[in-house]
Amino acid sequence: MAAWLVRVNFVLVKRPSITAICLLLASAVCSALAVTCSWEESPEYETVLNSLVESERAFARAAADLGTRSAFLAYLADDAVLFRPRALNGRQFLQTQQDRPGLLSWEPVYADVSAAGDLGYTTGPWSYKPDPAGDPIAHGHYFSVWKKLPDGSWKVAIDHGIYNPPPAEPAGPPRTPQLHRADRGRAGREIEPGAELQRVLDKDRAFAAAAESQGALQSVNAFVTADVYILRNDIDPRTGIEEARVLAAERPGKLTCSVLGGEVARSGDLAFTYGEYQYTPPRAEAPSELGNYVRVWRNSPSTGGIWRVAVDLLSPVPPAPEAEE
């Protein structure tokens, strides 16, 4: 599924989820009283993963059959976050928009789900054709986090993405994080959802503090998984901590982040956070870039039982158009 900022800027041009609301939502997963969850065994990993991937593909088919706006309204959760260009409630935004012609296409190529089968993500290439019979005029990679509702359906919790060159090869079958394969079939942890989400938000703030005070390279070394998946404008997605170190070294300076919200799986092994960042180049007195970020965090045997960043997306906010004199 393509992020509305990149996927839909071409069609319609993919904030109520602030921290307090997210805490309430996560707590409500178990009960209105936020009772501790206990998970003795997890759903079958492949079955749940396939159901998520098929939901993404159905979403893409709906965009082709019904139009992008209608498809998004059908698949977004009530509290879903989009970026237009900053974080806001996606459904409320789309209800004020009109659909436009053109074909927005996408295909999942990388995905993962929680042990509880209630939270997952997919990412892959997208393209946009103003004429469905013509050639694409824009490409990128979308990134979407999904959550499972009580009725068993998957809905999009947050959607974003990047622009980059067209893929060199056709999309292959979806793959999962390499090191996470050892965790398949794993049972979840006992957690208190509201408290666990607060731990993830605190971890996000610690990641940001390290990036601001010690530099992006230090935050990479201390906070990301060995198989971290990285999404940045103008380059193909990168995988692995070594690639993360290269990208951090290529862009020295100060990165200041502020977390706006997130959500955690009932099994305490997968979570996402989102917020805004400012980038200040070396020796500059003021930031030169404002952007949005989305991170997926993983806590599992492959991360040593601590929360680490498994997916990291940074995307600049387009500059505001200059006012006419």
Side-chain angles (χ1 to χ4, degrees), residues 18 25 93-94 148 157 178 185 202 233 237 241 259:
I18 57 176
L25 286 173
F93 169 79
L94 294 180
K148 186 173 285 187
Q178 291 287 333
D202 288 343
N233 276 349
I241 191 169
V259 63

Side-chain angles (χ1 to χ4, degrees), residues 201-224 248 251-259 278-280 293 295 297 307-309:
L201 297 175
D202 288 343
K203 197 78 170 182
D204 191 282
R205 294 185 182 99
F207 180 99
E212 182 174 4
S213 63
Q214 302 174 49
L217 184 59
Q218 178 59 34
S219 64
V220 165
N221 290 332
F223 289 93
V224 310
R251 203 183 195 207
K254 184 171 69 175
L255 194 67
T256 304
C257 301
S258 57
V259 63
Q278 291 183 323
Y279 170 70
T280 305
Y293 73 83
R295 297 184 183 118
W297 296 78
W307 287 108
R308 290 186 176 274
V309 177

Side-chain angles (χ1 to χ4, degrees), residues 18-28 193-198 201 262:
I18 57 176
T19 301
I21 293 178
C22 291
L23 288 169
L24 292 174
L25 286 173
S27 299
E196 194 66 27
L197 176 59
Q198 190 59 55
L201 297 175

Side-chain angles (χ1 to χ4, degrees), residues 59 79 88 95 137 164 208 219 275 295:
F59 185 9
D79 60 345
L88 48 70
Q95 287 165 357
I137 65 169
N164 55 23
S219 64
R295 297 184 183 118

